[in-house]
């Protein structure tokens, strides 16, 4: 697998390898000697309280922030989708999907990705006419045309209503299984993390403070008692008092 590197390495058995990563703002280390490995094709969810550095880590992995210390190895082909879909209002949906791609990609490339996210009917629409869920799917299509080996998602469902969110979660699960790319999903939703991920990480104090393999068969059943146990364990790691929550 080809890699972007901060050291001259050409291959890595991991989709992501991070060693001794530190990122400081104004002398304060938000990420502090962090280690992280993600296997090719692995689905990893990243939890952590607000402000703990999740988006900072994601932006570094996406190559959007290079003001760092440490080693960061990621696939050359990577794509990122944020909570806000960030579509250009003056470009139709299909042109947004192709935005930033090298060369002169044909419209058919965008159409294929839009079909994959169930949005091929809105290819000619203007972004402002899309619903929140549709805009988020357009943003996913824009990530997919990059044929990423690593898909970075920063709370992509955070702004969606409950039903649209469930549909979007299902879509991401299907895309991941079909594409076989590694995924790093930042979320505040513990249930979403347990539903989708092979492994859940909890970030705290600038490092990955806790990790938990999710060894439940797919598709996952949220009524499975083991699902509830994993959810409770992770909530506890996040400092949420589950006994009080149940009361
Ligand atoms: N460009 C920047 N300049 C200064 N401080 C920053 C910058 N970017 C992030 N920070 C600070 O770094 C810390 C981590 O921010 P980050 O956005 O990574 O948190 P987060 O875990 O994604 O939070 P949330 O869950 O609320 O999205 C915060 O204290 C934030 O204020
Ligand atoms: Mg964030």
């Amino acid at each position: 697998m080809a890699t972007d590197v901060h050291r001259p390495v050409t291959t890595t058995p991991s989709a992501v390898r991070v060693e001794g990563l530190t990122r400081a703002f104004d002398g304060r280390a938000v990420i502090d000697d962090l280690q992280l490995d993600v296997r090719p094709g692995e689905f990893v969810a990243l939890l952590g309280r607000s402000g703990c550095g999740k988006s900072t880590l994601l932006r570094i992995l996406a190559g959007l922030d290079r003001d760092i210390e440490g080693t960061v190895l990621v696939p050359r082909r990577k794509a990122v989708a944020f909570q806000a879909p960030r579509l250009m209002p003056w470009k139709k949906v299909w042109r947004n999907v192709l935005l930033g791609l090298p060369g002169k990609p044909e419209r058919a490339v965008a159409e294929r990705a839009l079909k994959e996210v169930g949005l091929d009917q809105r290819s000619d629409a203007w972004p402002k006419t899309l619903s929140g869920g549709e805009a988020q799917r357009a943003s996913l299509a824009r990530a997919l045309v990059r044929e990423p080996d690593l898909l970075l998602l920063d709370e992509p469902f955070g702004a969606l209503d409950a039903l649209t969110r469930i549909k979007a979660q299902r879509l991401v699960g299907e895309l991941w299984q079909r594409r076989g790319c590694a995924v790093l999903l930042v979320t505040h939703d513990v249930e979403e993390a347990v539903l989708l991920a092979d492994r859940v990480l909890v970030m705290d104090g600038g490092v990955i403070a806790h990790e938990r393999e999710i060894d439940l068969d797919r598709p996952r059943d949220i009524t499975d008692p083991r699902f509830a146990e994993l959810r409770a364990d992770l909530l506890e790691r996040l400092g949420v008092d589950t006994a009080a929550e149940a009361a």
Side-chain angles (χ1 to χ4, degrees), residues 7-240:
R7 284 184 196 163
V9 181
T10 52
T11 58
T12 169
S14 307
V16 174
R17 164 146 293 179
V18 172
E19 281 170 28
L21 175 65
T22 296
R23 173 60 161 116
F25 295 110
D26 309 320
R28 184 175 65 98
V30 169
I31 296 176
D32 194 1
D33 198 18
L34 180 143
Q35 324 292 325
L36 170 66
D37 276 292
V38 178
R39 298 185 294 272
E42 188 182 20
F43 197 128
V44 174
L46 180 62
L47 297 168
R49 65 174 174 73
S50 182
C52 74
K54 302 180 297 298
S55 296
T56 301
L57 176 59
L58 209 89
R59 286 175 50 78
I60 291 168
L61 296 179
L64 299 171
D65 178 1
R66 294 177 184 268
D67 197 2
I68 58 167
E69 283 171 39
T71 305
V72 175
L73 303 178
V74 289
R76 182 166 294 132
R77 286 210 300 225
K78 55 193 175 299
V80 60
F82 298 96
Q83 180 171 3
R86 300 186 181 191
L87 302 174
M88 300 297 167
W90 57 88
K91 286 186 185 286
K92 288 188 170 180
V93 167
W94 72 271
R95 288 196 185 276
N96 262 285
V97 169
L98 298 181
L99 211 66
L101 272 188
K104 274 203 170 289
E106 291 180 14
R107 180 170 175 162
V109 173
E111 301 280 0
R112 270 198 299 278
L114 285 165
K115 196 169 171 62
E116 222 178 324
V117 299
L119 209 63
D120 40 330
Q121 304 296 325
R122 307 306 309 276
S123 171
D124 248 329
W126 296 104
K128 69 173 186 311
T129 69
L130 299 182
S131 72
E134 286 172 338
Q136 198 50 265
R137 279 187 279 153
S139 166
L140 267 179
R142 190 171 50 190
L144 290 177
V145 293
R146 285 161 171 72
E147 309 231 329
D149 292 316
L150 174 65
L151 182 57
L152 300 161
L153 303 172
D154 195 352
E155 299 190 56
F157 320 125
L160 304 179
D161 67 85
L163 185 60
T164 311
R165 184 183 181 105
I166 289 168
K167 287 185 184 161
Q169 287 169 344
R170 200 169 294 160
L171 174 65
V172 166
E174 286 166 9
L175 290 173
W176 166 69
Q177 286 194 318
R178 199 178 319 134
R179 292 290 188 117
C181 56
V183 176
L184 185 66
L185 167 72
V186 170
T187 178
H188 277 120
D189 184 339
V190 174
E191 204 153 279
E192 179 173 294
V194 178
L195 191 67
L196 290 170
D198 296 316
R199 189 158 53 107
V200 179
L201 312 176
V202 177
M203 200 170 164
D204 190 25
V207 296
I208 306 301
H210 178 68
E211 67 173 289
R212 186 82 202 247
E213 293 282 341
I214 309 295
D215 53 354
L216 302 175
D217 293 338
R218 290 187 168 90
R220 289 181 176 158
D221 175 7
I222 59 170
T223 62
D224 183 339
R226 289 187 304 149
F227 192 101
E229 184 266 320
L230 285 161
R231 179 177 174 276
D233 173 63
L234 288 163
L235 281 169
E236 199 179 312
R237 300 286 176 175
L238 288 163
V240 177

